[in-house]
Amino acid sequence: MVSSTHVSEGVLNVVQHFLESAIRARLNLDFGKEQTRPLQVPDFSKFSSYLSDFIIQNKLTKAEIVCLILALVPYISPGLISTVVGAYLPNGGEFPDFGGVKGKNHRGILPTGETVLYILAGRDLDKRVKLSAMFDDDHLFARKNVIYIEPVPPGEPKMSGRLVLDDEYVDLFLSGKISRPKLSSDFPAQLITTDLEWNDLVLDDTTVEEIREIEVWLKHNTRLLTDWKLADKIKPGYRVLFHGPPGTGKTMTACLLGKYTKRDVFRIDLSLVVSKYIGETEKNLSNLFDKAANKDWILFFDEADSIFGKRTNVRDAHDKYANQEVSYLLQRIESHAGLVILATNMKANIDPSFTRRFNSFVEFDNPGISERLKLWENYLPKSVSLDKQVNLKEIARNYELSGANIVNVIHFAGLHTLEQNKTVITADILQKGIEKEYRKEGKMIRKS
């Protein structure tokens, strides 16, 4: 097969005609019109597109293909469903069996679960029940987060919910590119990246060795589970705790692991996850993990003790639900097949019942004298000169600064050097930057 592209005009015409034929075949039966010939599935191997590839590779049945195209059609032919159904209702009116809803902005019919079942099974109850399995949790559509039925208000039939094709598959099928999800209440995580390299990360040998173990897992775990057939013996995923003082490289390490294993790293915004409303935190976490399922993402929970901290004694309903939410989170993390990194400045604050579930602990210490010297040398721009009075070895020995502190000092010194219209960083400017960092953290300058 030719390499895949986005949906071409040829395959668009074919899928629209196929869906239109499926709808007409059902309506002809119910409205007593002349029957058409049996519905034939197009030969998708003739087309080079991500849509046809998905259908072939996953060996979709006729019913599954109808469902997939029905979910896609509002994006490629907004008026198709309204036009076809309207021809059978010349005087207008409602046709409840067909299902479908109106959107806030979309003027056509948006298909629902009822629409799928009607097109494929009509009023045949046994067939409708069997076809409903397409929306079960263990079906391909749910496992790969392709299609789902939008939740409905309490008391309304589940299948009256809108048939939703995940945005990533809409992008893939129509443009050949998957846009990354944006930070929102539905997706409380943000993509983080770095332009730095491993050489810019200055850590002690023990920490580096622990990080290399994570890198090995990222590179080889899939082969271990599939080629060695260990998937039913080894728990999915890898859970790591990064702990240590602020500014020691925890976030940067997560970014570098993603960069060098070609994975997206998403930092979870805990302010969006944690809700004062009972049950909302669980819902937010569910949205996050559902989106991350079957992806090669790295999930990075910064300041994790704010939600993974020691559980409270149950004093009221709020405490009860808070503990339930933590338990739910533990279950989701344990079942997640990817890498989950939790970062905290205080390891002691993490609930002991949770720490047992980690595969690895990685400690990030404040840099020693030799590490601080290397950080100064790495981060000072090579294009800028230092005054002869600046002695980096002495600065590294005398001032206990983290990597983040050192970057801040260089930032401060660079700005003030430019403000003074100079090209050389002076010892005085560096000293002022160092003193500022100490004041920020409420520390007194004490030479080592």
Side-chain angles (χ1 to χ4, degrees):
M1 187 182 296
V2 183
S3 60
S4 297
T5 63
H6 56 78
V7 178
S8 64
E9 187 176 347
V11 76
L12 281 180
N13 291 334
V14 167
V15 297
Q16 288 179 82
H17 177 72
F18 174 67
L19 180 62
E20 186 175 338
S21 299
I23 297 172
R24 289 189 188 282
R26 175 58 55 193
L27 291 172
N28 284 344
L29 271 176
D30 276 9
F31 282 79
K33 300 211 172 188
E34 182 181 348
Q35 294 303 302
T36 55
R37 61 184 181 178
L39 186 65
Q40 297 294 317
V41 175
D43 182 0
F44 286 101
S45 65
K46 293 180 179 179
F47 303 97
S48 174
S49 74
Y50 287 103
L51 175 62
S52 52
D53 279 0
F54 182 86
I55 290 170
I56 293 167
Q57 290 166 7
N58 291 285
K59 300 177 181 176
L60 298 193
T61 64
K62 183 190 294 186
E64 290 166 339
I65 294 171
V66 169
C67 184
L68 179 64
I69 295 172
L70 189 62
L72 180 63
V73 81
Y75 299 91
I76 58 177
S77 183
L80 186 146
I81 298 175
S82 299
T83 302
V84 175
V85 175
Y88 290 79
L89 301 169
N91 299 319
E94 297 273 326
F95 186 33
D97 286 359
F98 191 83
V101 293
K102 288 282 188 181
K104 192 176 281 187
N105 298 317
H106 184 87
R107 305 317 303 157
I109 294 176
L110 292 170
T112 59
E114 290 170 345
T115 310
V116 180
L117 298 184
Y118 174 76
I119 293 171
L120 294 171
R123 298 181 178 87
D124 186 327
L125 185 58
D126 288 341
K127 197 171 180 182
R128 289 172 71 97
V129 170
K130 289 177 183 176
L131 287 168
S132 296
M134 285 192 291
F135 306 107
D136 289 348
D137 289 343
D138 58 353
H139 188 273
L140 165 79
F141 288 157
R143 292 200 319 272
K144 294 195 172 185
N145 199 32
V146 183
I147 295 173
Y148 63 94
I149 301 293
E150 193 172 59
V152 296
E156 295 193 21
K158 174 186 173 182
M159 286 298 163
S160 65
R162 187 167 63 94
L163 184 70
V164 180
L165 180 63
D166 187 81
D167 287 343
E168 292 185 15
Y169 283 96
V170 174
D171 290 344
L172 179 66
F173 295 153
L174 297 185
S175 68
K177 296 178 183 178
I178 296 178
S179 59
R180 295 181 176 96
K182 300 291 191 298
L183 179 68
S184 68
S185 58
D186 289 332
F187 186 74
Q190 189 167 27
L191 181 72
I192 55 174
T193 59
T194 182
D195 292 326
L196 299 176
E197 311 292 338
W198 279 122
N199 289 339
D200 295 309
L201 188 64
V202 180
L203 303 168
D204 64 47
D205 291 343
T206 303
T207 304
V208 169
E209 187 62 31
E210 293 283 353
I211 293 167
R212 292 287 176 252
E213 282 191 26
I214 302 170
E215 203 173 9
V216 167
W217 183 89
L218 287 168
K219 288 179 178 177
H220 302 297
N221 187 63
T222 300
R223 285 184 58 202
L224 182 72
L225 297 181
T226 54
D227 296 358
W228 289 32
K229 295 181 171 50
L230 290 174
D232 58 341
K233 298 178 178 66
I234 297 176
K235 269 188 177 183
Y238 200 80
R239 293 152 291 281
V240 185
L241 180 70
F242 285 1
H243 62 97
T248 49
K250 299 186 289 293
T251 302
M252 182 177 167
T253 299
C255 289
L256 288 169
L257 283 167
K259 180 176 181 177
Y260 281 91
T261 59
K262 295 180 171 54
R263 286 169 168 81
D264 288 336
V265 182
F266 284 93
R267 177 166 53 198
I268 285 73
D269 187 334
L270 291 169
S271 67
L272 289 178
V273 171
V274 179
S275 172
K276 65 180 179 180
Y277 299 107
I278 290 174
E280 284 296 306
T281 298
E282 187 173 317
K283 176 185 172 185
N284 292 341
L285 289 165
S286 178
N287 289 339
L288 171 68
F289 279 100
D290 287 348
K291 197 74 173 174
N294 304 300
K295 308 285 196 314
D296 275 337
W297 295 345
I298 296 172
L299 298 182
F300 181 70
F301 288 83
D302 202 2
E303 300 180 16
D305 43 313
S306 64
I307 190 169
F308 299 89
K310 293 177 179 176
R311 283 179 271 189
T312 61
N313 293 324
V314 177
R315 295 186 299 272
D316 54 30
H318 238 292
D319 290 339
K320 176 184 175 183
Y321 280 100
N323 287 343
Q324 285 180 0
E325 286 163 349
V326 172
S327 297
Y328 172 78
L329 181 55
L330 299 182
Q331 177 259 316
R332 289 305 301 257
I333 284 182
E334 281 200 282
S335 63
H336 183 64
L339 172 61
V340 178
I341 300 173
L342 277 65
T344 178
N345 299 334
M346 297 289 290
K347 178 186 172 186
N349 289 348
I350 298 291
D351 190 330
S353 68
F354 184 69
T355 58
R356 291 194 295 270
R357 294 167 165 90
F358 286 107
N359 297 86
S360 177
F361 294 85
V362 183
E363 183 174 6
F364 290 76
D365 281 328
N366 275 317
I369 295 172
S370 61
E371 287 90 5
R372 293 199 293 267
L373 176 59
K374 191 171 181 182
L375 286 165
W376 279 110
E377 291 171 342
N378 281 357
Y379 291 149
L380 278 164
K382 303 296 183 281
S383 58
V384 177
S385 301
L386 291 175
D387 188 274
K388 290 180 180 179
Q389 293 182 338
V390 175
N391 186 329
L392 290 181
K393 288 183 179 179
E394 188 175 322
I395 290 173
R397 183 175 65 252
N398 290 339
Y399 302 108
E400 296 178 355
L401 297 168
S402 69
N405 293 143
I406 290 170
V407 170
N408 288 341
V409 173
I410 293 170
H411 187 195
F412 173 90
L415 290 174
H416 283 268
T417 299
L418 291 172
E419 173 67 15
Q420 296 174 17
N421 201 25
K422 294 181 179 179
T423 57
V424 176
I425 297 177
T426 65
D428 182 56
I429 287 177
L430 280 177
Q431 183 67 28
K432 287 181 179 176
I434 291 169
E435 290 173 358
K436 182 180 179 184
E437 287 302 298
Y438 268 70
R439 285 196 304 273
K440 277 168 48 181
E441 298 189 8
K443 297 192 300 184
M444 297 287 292
I445 287 187
R446 185 183 69 247
K447 294 184 178 181
S448 301

